[in-house]
Amino acid sequence: MSFSPDSMEQLNLLLQFDSATLERGIKVHSNARPEVIAACRSLFDKGMVDQPDGGYLTDAGFEALAHVQLLAGLFGAN
């Protein structure tokens, strides 16, 4: 099994959140790349963020972010 381009967009979007606090969210604007908008909507549909255009991480999103950061560190992602 490999990551699809859609999954990669979601993982990269999760990395945009601040892992130090749940009190900082993000906003994906309507003029963002369509892939980013779709990734954000997918994260919302999965219960990872509280708004279709970003907002704040849910508890599940915060946990997912920790895993994504671990993977990113293993592969030297910035």
Side-chain angles (χ1 to χ4, degrees), residues 2-15 33 35-36 39 43 46 68 71 75 77:
S2 61
F3 290 110
S4 69
D6 292 340
S7 295
M8 293 300 297
E9 287 289 347
Q10 292 172 53
L11 296 172
N12 284 325
L13 188 57
L14 279 172
L15 287 172
R33 289 184 303 113
E35 299 86 0
V36 174
L43 290 175
K46 292 175 181 171
V68 172
L71 285 171
F75 293 97

Side-chain angles (χ1 to χ4, degrees), residues 9-51:
E9 287 289 347
Q10 292 172 53
L11 296 172
N12 284 325
L13 188 57
L14 279 172
L15 287 172
Q16 301 304 308
F17 285 89
D18 184 350
S19 63
T21 180
L22 287 173
E23 296 179 10
R24 289 193 197 136
I26 65 168
K27 166 79 172 162
V28 174
H29 294 276
S30 60
N31 63 345
R33 289 184 303 113
E35 299 86 0
V36 174
I37 294 170
C40 193
R41 180 63 195 206
S42 184
L43 290 175
F44 174 73
D45 291 343
K46 292 175 181 171
M48 303 276 182
V49 296
D50 69 349
Q51 298 293 317

Side-chain angles (χ1 to χ4, degrees), residues 54-72:
Y56 298 94
L57 288 174
T58 62
D59 289 340
F62 196 73
E63 185 176 335
L65 173 58
H67 293 287
V68 172
Q69 288 177 324
L70 179 63
L71 285 171

